[in-house]
């Protein structure tokens, strides 16, 4: 069985990495069983054999693969069933989409969920998380979180091409979900698993897509939540 | 031979519609010959048989098709060689990309080129163009053009996922150009064919991609320019 080192919060069951969620969906899409190992930011020694200090990392027999994109390629090479990418064209288009999600969507979600996220990470991670993120953002976590309102407005605008595309298809890859769906869904799971704040208006067509994604591939997206988080209104 | 009604400026040879350029590239990718007909904004009667008042419109034997996306589908159905879309996945991903170009790229290029564009459209189109665009923008063309500097900065930021993707492939669809390349290239052709203002810094990897696109499919992208426009520095 494939083992996935999966970022966890205070509770082992709280899994909130957008990058790990991509991999969970990709594994499920191929029908591959996975054993997840809760991992915290400060447990770098636990994944030192991957050559890096970040998750996702998978172990499969004696193979160790880090980085979500490298894991997609490894999975397609090793388990050709239900290909994540059926052609170079599909893969290259999804690569643009990956960078779009990371450049345009993640940075708008981060300020909105930062306060809730910080409250739910493992206590032993707090000092590392605060100092590394404050260096990256160039401000305190509290000042960063004050950008939430503007970020939420920019998120709505940035998502407009998704809304328009979903006006014609159930998923970003057509009638069935594919890698671009996993990439964007990972971003929403990051928020969903730490924060009760809604990112979308109740009439937004992306809400219905997110529900379809929660149901996809055996409902794997509904896992990873702990119980003290109030249900999301949408 | 397929006939394409193609937006022209003061000179018949100046072709500057981003939507028509997409179609030119798609036709060339399939090796289909085309006769282009210069068309101006105020010549709606000339394309009334399409059911609309906008180009691109193609005539192929007795078939008339309007709208660039509908034309792509028509071409793949009628001329299956060198498919624009080889799968539902490719097509759905390209549809997202189309909306991304139209929502994030076109609006940033428009203020930068507006003054030059207005100077190069056909004199008989000026009154229509000014009144329709000023109603759409909610301001005069001159006030709109004053947003150029901010728009250019937003364009650089919006293009970042393209830059990152092109760090790994020659084209947005991999080793060969495809529909996403045609969609983005159309936006750059819109600028190139009316304005000497550079949109990209000289070291930008997107400059090299644009050169590859100008050379693609027999160099069709190098057509459509009139001679009074100073060569672009990049």
């Amino acid at each position: 069985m494939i083992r996935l080192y999966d970022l966890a919060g205070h509770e082992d069951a709280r899994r909130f990495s957008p990058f790990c969620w991509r991999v969970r969906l990709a594994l499920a899409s191929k029908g591959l069983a996975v054993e997840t190992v809760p991992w915290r930011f400060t447990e770098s020694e636990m994944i030192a054999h991957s050559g890096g200090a970040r998750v996702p990392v998978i172990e499969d027999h004696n193979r160790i693969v880090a980085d979500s994109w490298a894991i997609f390629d490894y999975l397609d090479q090793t388990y050709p069933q239900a290909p994540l990418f059926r052609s170079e064209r599909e893969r290259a288009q999804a690569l643009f989409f990956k960078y779009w999600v990371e450049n345009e969507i993640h940075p708008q979600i981060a300020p909105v969920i930062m306060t809730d996220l910080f409250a739910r990470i493992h206590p032993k991670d707090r000092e590392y998380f605060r100092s590394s993120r404050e260096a990256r953002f160039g401000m305190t976590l509290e000042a960063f979180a004050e950008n939430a309102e503007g970020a939420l407005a920019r998120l709505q605008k940035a998502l407009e091409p998704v809304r328009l595309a979903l006006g014609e298809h159930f998923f970003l890859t057509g009638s069935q979900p594919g890698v671009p769906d996993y990439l964007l869904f990972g971003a929403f799971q990051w928020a969903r698993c730490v924060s009760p704040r809604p990112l979308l208006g109740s009439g937004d067509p992306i809400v219905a897509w997110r529900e379809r994604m929660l149901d996809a591939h055996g409902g794997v997206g509904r896992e990873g939540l702990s119980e003290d988080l109030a249900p999301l209104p949408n």
Side-chain angles (χ1 to χ4, degrees), chain A:
Chain A
M1 194 186 289
I2 293 171
R3 173 177 293 176
L4 169 68
Y5 292 91
D6 193 14
L7 182 63
H10 194 159
E11 312 94 321
D12 279 356
R14 189 177 305 284
R15 308 297 173 88
F16 63 96
S17 160
F19 306 100
C20 291
W21 273 113
R22 300 172 178 179
V23 172
R24 290 291 298 277
L25 270 288
L27 288 163
S29 78
K30 286 178 170 288
L32 294 169
V34 62
E35 171 202 12
T36 67
V37 180
W39 175 90
R40 272 81 186 194
F41 289 111
T42 47
E43 293 175 337
S44 48
E45 78 291 342
M46 197 194 288
I47 55 167
H49 61 314
S50 74
R54 290 201 256 187
V55 293
V57 168
I58 64 165
E59 291 172 10
D60 185 26
H61 303 99
N62 292 319
R63 294 288 304 274
I64 294 139
V65 188
D67 179 82
S68 63
W69 196 257
I71 291 169
F72 293 163
D73 282 341
Y74 169 79
L75 293 178
D76 265 355
Q77 284 154 18
T78 312
Y79 303 99
Q81 74 270 25
L84 296 167
F85 304 119
R86 290 199 192 96
S87 66
E88 181 197 33
R89 274 195 197 176
E90 283 183 12
R91 184 179 177 280
Q93 286 182 265
L95 184 65
F96 164 84
F97 195 87
K98 172 183 120 77
Y99 289 128
W100 176 77
V101 167
E102 293 171 4
N103 275 266
E104 301 295 337
I105 303 303
H106 285 190
Q108 312 309 341
I109 292 178
V112 179
I113 67 172
M114 189 51 64
T115 303
D116 292 328
L117 189 155
F118 190 64
R120 289 182 170 88
I121 64 175
H122 197 283
K124 72 178 182 180
D125 279 350
R126 292 215 171 115
E127 187 180 320
Y128 160 80
F129 186 88
R130 178 179 284 280
S131 63
S132 62
R133 269 47 178 183
E134 292 187 348
R136 185 190 298 173
F137 303 149
M139 64 185 84
T140 64
L141 293 183
E142 289 72 18
F144 184 71
E146 282 173 17
N147 298 314
E149 201 174 335
L152 206 48
R154 288 191 294 277
L155 178 67
Q156 304 317 312
K157 186 177 177 304
L159 286 170
E160 189 60 17
V162 172
R163 255 172 229 121
L164 292 165
L166 291 177
E168 302 182 36
H169 299 287
F170 273 170
F171 298 101
L172 291 166
T173 47
S175 56
Q176 299 296 324
V179 169
D181 297 282
Y182 309 152
L183 296 168
L184 183 62
F185 182 65
F188 281 102
Q189 287 289 86
W190 179 34
R192 181 182 174 88
C193 296
V194 298
S195 173
R197 295 186 68 167
L199 296 178
L200 302 167
S202 56
D204 194 319
I206 301 175
V207 172
W209 165 85
R210 196 175 52 182
E211 288 299 311
R212 289 192 288 274
M213 288 303 300
L214 285 164
D215 291 334
H217 304 316
V220 61
R222 298 201 187 271
E223 299 175 18
L225 289 175
S226 144
E227 292 180 356
D228 73 288
L229 191 67
L232 296 179
N234 67 62

